[in-house]
Amino acid sequence: MAQATYDTFISEKASKYAGASRYSKKDLLSKVGIEYKANPYKYRVTKYFYATSSSLVLDSLLVVSLSREAWSKESNWMGFVAVATDEGKLALGRRDILISWRGTIQNLEWVNDLQFELVSAPEIFGERNTDGDEPKVHLGWRSIYTSDDPKSPFNKTSARHQVLDEVRRLVEEYKNEETSITITGHSMGAAVSTLNAVDIVAQGYNKPKDMPNKACPVTAFVFASPRVGNGSFQKFFSSLQNLRILRVRNARDVVPLYPLIGYSEVGEELVIDTQESSYLKKPGNLSSWHTLEGYLHGVAGTQGSKGGFKLEVDRDIALVNKHMNVLKDEYCVPESWWCERNKGMVQKEDGSWLLMDHEHDDF
């Protein structure tokens, strides 16, 4: 589900829809290849959410259209909320609410551009008299999560409020069923997923208003996550009930090592090493070690503490070449093969060509 946020995102700045989702909510999961007959885990997308940033440092993480007719100059599409269908519920054994946060589109130079300032987040932790032991989080991640912009019709409220309101609505709708909340993201999306997971549990959004004792479990699966907060944030996380986070880290990926000083890890860590895969080119590089499809390939074949690599999950190896050139040439899979036909250019009846790369949905 985290990969879906990359596959639908329009990063072409020539498009007036740069920074938006290419596919509508009703078509998203089928268009990105998640919803197919053999997959029993069916979901329905119920909400798209958008983010902006009050931090100048985060401007490098948002994609803005060059067009004078741009859909937005202030906001980017940031992910979606989905819920298991009745069929999906039968396969899962519960009604799962899923939140998927998009990661960064630019290359890894963004890591060097970030200022690793720790700031308070009272909207998540409340006003606390901590005598210096205050939970603090990364300025950039908090900004993406909590910023709003009255100039943007998509961020009259923050990404945080958009997501929490939808989670509240779904938790209330399905309060008489067994439910769960799953959150996922990669890179920047992993960091914001961590904040979102903590926030949902800390503020009680995982339980119906009139059933305070019926808290559902919240689980975050985060890939290539930078660190999020300080030691007090780690303590706050550890004090929460019904919250689990699994951090997946590729052994050679540098992003999970940032920031280097003043930050602490939360949750449990699963270390993989894609260099052990016989399917991938060696030695790789910073980008290939960080790409999400590479991570998913690594999870599918990791052998844990005994080492080595063997695909235990039937995940098509062609997917690792979706946005990069990682797979060995002998498998004859084109590099960066995931692209819209003619990059979204469509020929009109008069013979001229027009960029039509977006399914109308929220706007």
Side-chain angles (χ1 to χ4, degrees), residues 49-53 58 61-62 78-80 99-104 110 114 124 137-147 158-161 163-164 182-200 218 220-229 233 243 245 247 255 266:
F49 55 89
Y50 301 82
T52 186
S53 175
L58 265 292
L61 303 182
L62 301 179
M78 203 64 195
F80 62 91
I99 307 160
S100 184
W101 289 85
R102 180 180 60 79
T104 45
W110 65 267
L114 289 179
I124 299 174
V137 297
H138 186 285
L139 167 65
W141 315 145
R142 177 182 180 270
S143 181
I144 283 286
Y145 186 54
T146 64
S147 293
S158 65
R160 173 182 184 257
H161 279 108
V163 171
L164 292 182
T182 303
I183 307 166
T184 190
H186 169 257
S187 195
M188 175 185 71
V192 182
S193 293
T194 299
L195 281 180
N196 188 205
V198 169
D199 196 11
I200 286 171
V218 177
F221 297 94
V222 296
F223 303 87
S225 180
R227 291 163 181 157
V228 177
F233 173 71
L243 175 60
I245 292 180
R247 290 179 294 105
V255 171
V266 297

Side-chain angles (χ1 to χ4, degrees), residues 119-128 134-137 142 146 160 199 202-203 236:
V119 296
S120 302
E123 63 278 355
I124 299 174
F125 308 116
E127 298 290 346
R128 302 167 66 86
E134 181 183 11
K136 292 186 176 183
V137 297
R142 177 182 180 270
T146 64
R160 173 182 184 257
D199 196 11
Q203 303 301 323
F236 184 85

Side-chain angles (χ1 to χ4, degrees), residues 70-300:
W71 71 283
S72 178
K73 292 289 189 181
E74 301 86 14
S75 300
N76 266 198
W77 182 85
M78 203 64 195
F80 62 91
V81 182
V83 65
T85 64
D86 289 346
E87 184 180 351
K89 177 188 173 184
L90 285 174
L92 290 165
R94 63 191 183 283
R95 184 78 67 176
D96 188 49
I97 298 165
L98 184 137
I99 307 160
S100 184
W101 289 85
R102 180 180 60 79
T104 45
I105 301 300
Q106 282 87 342
N107 61 36
L108 288 182
E109 291 177 358
W110 65 267
V111 174
N112 296 322
D113 293 337
L114 289 179
Q115 298 173 358
F116 300 129
E117 180 181 350
L118 285 161
V119 296
S120 302
E123 63 278 355
I124 299 174
F125 308 116
E127 298 290 346
R128 302 167 66 86
N129 182 13
T130 57
D131 296 324
D133 190 26
E134 181 183 11
K136 292 186 176 183
V137 297
H138 186 285
L139 167 65
W141 315 145
R142 177 182 180 270
S143 181
I144 283 286
Y145 186 54
T146 64
S147 293
D148 55 25
D149 189 335
K151 299 192 299 294
S152 171
F154 303 96
N155 277 115
K156 299 291 186 186
T157 61
S158 65
R160 173 182 184 257
H161 279 108
Q162 294 169 55
V163 171
L164 292 182
D165 286 351
E166 183 65 3
V167 169
R168 173 69 79 198
R169 185 186 73 80
L170 292 170
V171 166
E172 293 296 330
E173 180 176 349
Y174 297 108
K175 65 182 180 181
N176 293 319
E177 301 182 19
E178 183 180 353
T179 58
S180 61
I181 297 173
T182 303
I183 307 166
T184 190
H186 169 257
S187 195
M188 175 185 71
V192 182
S193 293
T194 299
L195 281 180
N196 188 205
V198 169
D199 196 11
I200 286 171
V201 177
Q203 303 301 323
Y205 280 83
N206 60 327
K207 47 194 173 186
K209 288 182 178 179
D210 60 348
M211 299 179 180
N213 295 321
K214 193 185 178 183
C216 74
V218 177
T219 306
F221 297 94
V222 296
F223 303 87
S225 180
R227 291 163 181 157
V228 177
N230 63 0
S232 296
F233 173 71
Q234 182 188 57
K235 290 180 184 177
F236 184 85
F237 165 85
S238 299
S239 71
L240 298 173
Q241 301 294 316
N242 300 304
L243 175 60
R244 300 290 184 271
I245 292 180
L246 178 66
R247 290 179 294 105
V248 184
R249 176 174 66 85
N250 197 358
R252 301 200 182 195
D253 187 5
V254 300
V255 171
L257 306 179
Y258 282 79
L260 299 172
I261 300 173
Y263 286 73
S264 298
E265 309 282 12
V266 297
E268 299 296 323
E269 182 178 71
L270 171 64
V271 180
I272 62 173
D273 188 353
T274 54
Q275 284 298 100
E276 294 186 339
S277 171
S278 61
Y279 299 94
L280 307 185
K281 294 176 179 177
K282 305 276 191 306
N285 55 49
L286 292 176
S287 294
S288 68
W289 299 328
H290 184 64
T291 179
L292 178 54
E293 282 293 1
Y295 263 79
L296 297 175
H297 176 73
V299 170

